[in-house]
Amino acid sequence: MSGTITTNIIGWLLSVGLGLILLTGCGERSWNNPYSAGDDGKNILYDEFSERPKHLDPIRAYSSNEYVFLAQIYEPVVQYHYLKRPYQLTPLAGTTVPQAYYLDKNGQPLADDADFTQIAYSVYDIEIQPGIRYQPHPAFAKDAQDQYRYHKLTSTQLENIYSLSDFSHTGTRELVAADYVYQIKRLAHPRLHSPIYGVMTDYILGLQEFSATLKNAYQQLQKERQQDNVYLDLHAYDLPGVEVLDRYRYRITIKGKYPQFVYWLAMPFFAPMPAEAELFYSQPGLIDRNITLNWYPVGTGAYMLTENNPNLRMVLQRNPNFHGEKYPADGDKGDRQAGLLQDAGKPLPFIEKVVYNLEKETIPYWNKFLQGYYDTAGISSDSFDQAIRFTGEGEATLTDEMRNKGIELSTAVTTSISYIGFNMQDKLVGGASERARKLRQAIAIAVDIEEYISIFANGRGIAAQSPIPPGIFGYVEGEAGINSYVYEWKDGKPVRKSIDAAKRLMAEAGYPNGRDEKTGKPLLLYFDTAMPGPDAKSYLNWLRKQFQKLNIQLVIRNTDYNRFQEKMLKGTSQIYRWGWNADYPDPENFMFLLYGPNRKVGLNGENASNYDNPDFNRLFEKMKAMENGVERLALIDSMLEVVRRDAPWLFGYHPKGFSLYHTWYHNVKPNLMANNTLKYKRIDPQLREQKRHEWNRPVVKPILIIVAVLVLMILPGIITYIRKEHHSARRGTVR
């Protein structure tokens, strides 16, 4: 009996070791694969998200983590060409890119080149393509009598409904012009609070009055039905600036001339919304189950959201009703050589399914990317040195470790700016006096933005010479584009002026050696911020040292974000840090950050510095109404000279985006304006499976050593036990 037990134990240990060897040698999937075995080799893209989208209703969403999903699902009439630069609009659901025609105050037509002061209205007649259909959705499901199945749900019907997929029937219908009109009307819905409503009231004819009409109608319905959430049929109310012309055409009329309006038409705010969806989702029983438009979008795009579990994962799948858009047949010079036109003319999308997994920590996410379980990845500060090295010329390249795995690097200067601003209403640092202007110019020289980029951004950015980033009309490269109040041109590049030059400006401003020449007191300035976390301390210490170069004492007033916002709105801040991401690729979208009537104080605009120079304002009003060309560029140059001299900002820097992707991930070209780029991407699942297997082979040797050690440790005890048992047995036999 004891011998059998011993044999079994040793045999089991040896079997474990042998099994490990066999598993290592055979073609079994990797042990650390986090995905279902049934998905191996399938055309599935794997990505991550760290924070759940707050809004998936396109009229309310305005964040990049929301657009990751929305832009794949909803289709405005236009989109940005995936490959061409500078950025160009191209038709999406529309037949053409809309062109405005102009009317005077009496409604009479004007010439295309009419002076903008004569133009009372710009009119866009928009035509959409016939035959586009919505994704399968229960909101469209009908019974044999052609009645909607799920628009009047009973408590019995709702008993087993917990998510959208629990509905047994779906339907679809054709996209029509009325769906676009319905969505624009939703901008004014009193319950939705669209973030662009205020901006659009300045342009869309009658939108503000329409909002008042809807508010009254909604309140009346709430009283009648005695409930908060009620369905308001927007078809029943007319909006003068938006009207349906026929099944496939609609018209938008805006006030004055605003050429940038066509860029707004590429955003999800102006995507179509079927009234059936809003009616379906307005039912209290669905709202109670969190089955809402904010949770489950419905569109005509290449993908549809089939799983929304923000604590685990979100899944996009190919829309079976997608209307057959094709990959671009042309692009920029060099795109063909880079392999970006290999799929020219092929039907989109290429990827069948996209799985977004929740990853709250950067290190596990990074490790999974290196193991091949994510197809693309950003680069956090923790992994930057492992991924990137800089050449002697300062060019970012991949490390040998990344190159050996076939990983590739994609970089692009973002269409955004991060800057430090002065409150121009402040008595000390603000205003148009020569004293305040030279003080601001001196500080702009002293704060070494290049050093900031190197220390805090891992070199990912370029120092800004103006509000306008690269890639936007008005940005000028080379010596002609530098801020001559802060930089000099030396050896073919901009070089920050010396600290001695800044000190001379300080003396001219009446602050020699950082002291007020009238009072003799040291200059004390205040920096308002709402920066959380340990990284903030390092940055703020660095910023103090920059001001100390001029013997300026900088006091940090760090507070919570709500308090900081309140200070900005009231104009009680002195110096602050802010940023802006482009909504559309036009200089107006950056220059308006310094336009006086757009100031933060009193008007709640985006001009956080409350800068209000009459010369700049006059030039801006003329520039914003112009098409790109030589005359517009000359106006922009004049505006930049004004703002560089006045220095309401330390122009800060334009961040540079770095991303990595595996060799099986194709058609990668940064597009900083388009969000609907998923449909252009392609993967090679077989190559990915091969690489995953190579990179994730089980390391069994340590386990075998442990098994051997265990056998050696246990074996003497077993032998002793057997001898005792054998000896006892012999004694028993003698008796």
Side-chain angles (χ1 to χ4, degrees), residues 388-407:
I388 302 295
R389 64 179 179 86
F390 288 95
T391 64
E393 293 75 31
E395 181 183 356
T397 61
L398 288 168
T399 61
D400 290 340
E401 180 185 355
M402 299 298 109
R403 291 181 183 278
N404 291 338
K405 293 179 78 72
I407 291 172

Side-chain angles (χ1 to χ4, degrees), residues 601-623:
V601 174
L603 297 174
N604 197 21
E606 297 297 343
N607 178 355
S609 281
N610 305 299
Y611 178 62
D612 196 0
N613 183 305
D615 292 334
F616 183 91
N617 295 343
R618 175 179 51 81
L619 292 168
F620 175 83
E621 288 165 1
K622 187 174 182 181
M623 180 277 298

Side-chain angles (χ1 to χ4, degrees), residues 147-160:
Q147 300 297 309
Y148 289 107
R149 290 179 177 272
Y150 303 126
H151 285 195
K152 296 179 180 179
L153 291 167
T154 64
S155 56
T156 302
Q157 289 177 299
L158 285 165
E159 281 181 358
N160 296 314

Side-chain angles (χ1 to χ4, degrees), residues 41-316:
K42 289 188 176 179
N43 188 12
I44 301 173
L45 179 71
Y46 294 96
D47 209 335
E48 61 83 37
F49 69 101
S50 58
E51 183 181 0
R52 95 160 181 87
K54 186 176 181 181
H55 298 298
L56 291 179
D57 182 341
I59 213 69
R60 302 177 69 183
Y62 208 10
S63 298
S64 57
N65 69 324
E66 296 164 342
Y67 277 21
V68 165
F69 302 98
L70 285 180
Q72 325 311 325
I73 297 167
Y74 288 101
E75 290 190 301
V77 290
V78 291
Q79 63 182 339
Y80 291 97
H81 195 289
Y82 181 52
L83 300 176
K84 288 186 178 180
R85 307 291 183 273
Y87 296 107
Q88 298 179 21
L89 289 175
T90 187
L92 181 51
T95 57
T96 60
V97 176
Q99 300 292 322
Y101 59 91
Y102 307 115
L103 305 176
D104 64 17
K105 62 182 180 181
N106 297 316
Q108 296 302 308
L110 293 170
D112 289 344
D113 60 353
D115 188 272
F116 78 95
T117 58
Q118 296 180 305
I119 297 172
Y121 307 105
S122 299
V123 183
Y124 294 86
D125 287 349
I126 301 168
E127 183 176 9
I128 64 170
Q129 301 174 37
I132 297 175
R133 304 190 72 80
Y134 283 99
Q135 68 182 67
H137 196 278
F140 302 119
K142 291 185 176 182
D143 59 22
Q145 289 72 44
D146 201 35
Q147 300 297 309
Y148 289 107
R149 290 179 177 272
Y150 303 126
H151 285 195
K152 296 179 180 179
L153 291 167
T154 64
S155 56
T156 302
Q157 289 177 299
L158 285 165
E159 281 181 358
N160 296 314
I161 301 296
Y162 302 102
S163 70
L164 201 66
S165 60
D166 291 329
F167 287 96
S168 55
H169 297 276
T170 61
T172 185
R173 72 158 170 82
E174 187 183 29
L175 172 70
V176 294
D179 299 332
Y180 287 92
V181 172
Y182 191 88
Q183 172 76 337
I184 298 171
K185 288 181 177 180
R186 295 180 77 236
L187 287 169
H189 197 296
R191 182 176 54 83
L192 297 179
H193 308 294
S194 176
I196 68 161
Y197 164 74
V199 175
M200 287 300 118
T201 56
D202 293 336
Y203 297 109
I204 297 177
L205 182 64
L207 184 62
Q208 192 163 17
E209 296 78 7
F210 181 71
S211 175
T213 299
L214 292 189
K215 183 177 180 180
N216 291 333
Y218 193 71
Q219 289 175 345
Q220 184 62 34
L221 271 176
Q222 286 177 314
K223 290 179 182 178
E224 290 175 2
R225 300 181 185 178
Q226 296 185 345
Q227 61 187 64
D228 290 333
N229 289 307
V230 292
Y231 171 67
L232 183 64
D233 184 4
L234 302 184
H235 289 313
Y237 304 91
D238 292 330
L239 172 56
V242 187
E243 57 182 315
V244 176
L245 300 179
D246 56 38
R247 184 172 180 82
Y248 302 116
R249 294 187 306 135
Y250 66 104
R251 174 176 293 161
I252 302 176
T253 302
I254 66 170
K255 294 175 281 188
K257 184 178 181 181
Y258 181 46
Q260 296 78 22
F261 182 75
V262 70
Y263 292 120
W264 287 98
L265 296 178
M267 300 179 74
F269 299 112
F270 291 88
M273 178 58 63
E276 297 96 323
E278 190 156 65
L279 176 58
F280 170 80
Y281 284 124
S282 69
Q283 298 176 87
L286 295 183
I287 294 172
D288 292 342
R289 289 163 171 76
N290 205 26
I291 301 176
T292 65
L293 192 56
N294 222 26
W295 202 260
Y296 293 103
V298 49
T300 61
Y303 292 94
M304 56 186 188
L305 186 68
T306 56
E307 184 177 337
N308 186 351
N309 182 352
N311 297 317
L312 183 62
R313 70 177 197 167
M314 300 179 72
V315 177
L316 292 175

Side-chain angles (χ1 to χ4, degrees), residues 613-686:
N613 183 305
D615 292 334
F616 183 91
N617 295 343
R618 175 179 51 81
L619 292 168
F620 175 83
E621 288 165 1
K622 187 174 182 181
M623 180 277 298
K624 79 167 190 173
M626 297 176 68
E627 309 291 341
N628 289 342
V630 175
E631 187 179 355
R632 194 181 197 212
L633 185 60
L635 281 178
I636 292 170
D637 289 342
S638 298
M639 295 169 69
L640 292 180
E641 171 59 26
V642 171
V643 79
R644 285 166 174 162
R645 182 197 67 218
D646 286 350
W649 291 1
L650 312 183
F651 285 112
Y653 78 111
H654 306 297
K656 193 172 186 179
F658 282 43
S659 64
L660 302 175
Y661 58 97
H662 286 292
T663 187
W664 58 76
Y665 188 61
H666 300 286
N667 297 335
V668 177
K669 183 175 183 177
N671 190 313
L672 303 172
M673 286 291 105
N675 295 292
N676 63 338
T677 58
L678 179 60
K679 59 189 175 185
Y680 303 110
K681 303 297 177 25
R682 177 171 56 82
I683 60 171
D684 182 341
Q686 285 71 38

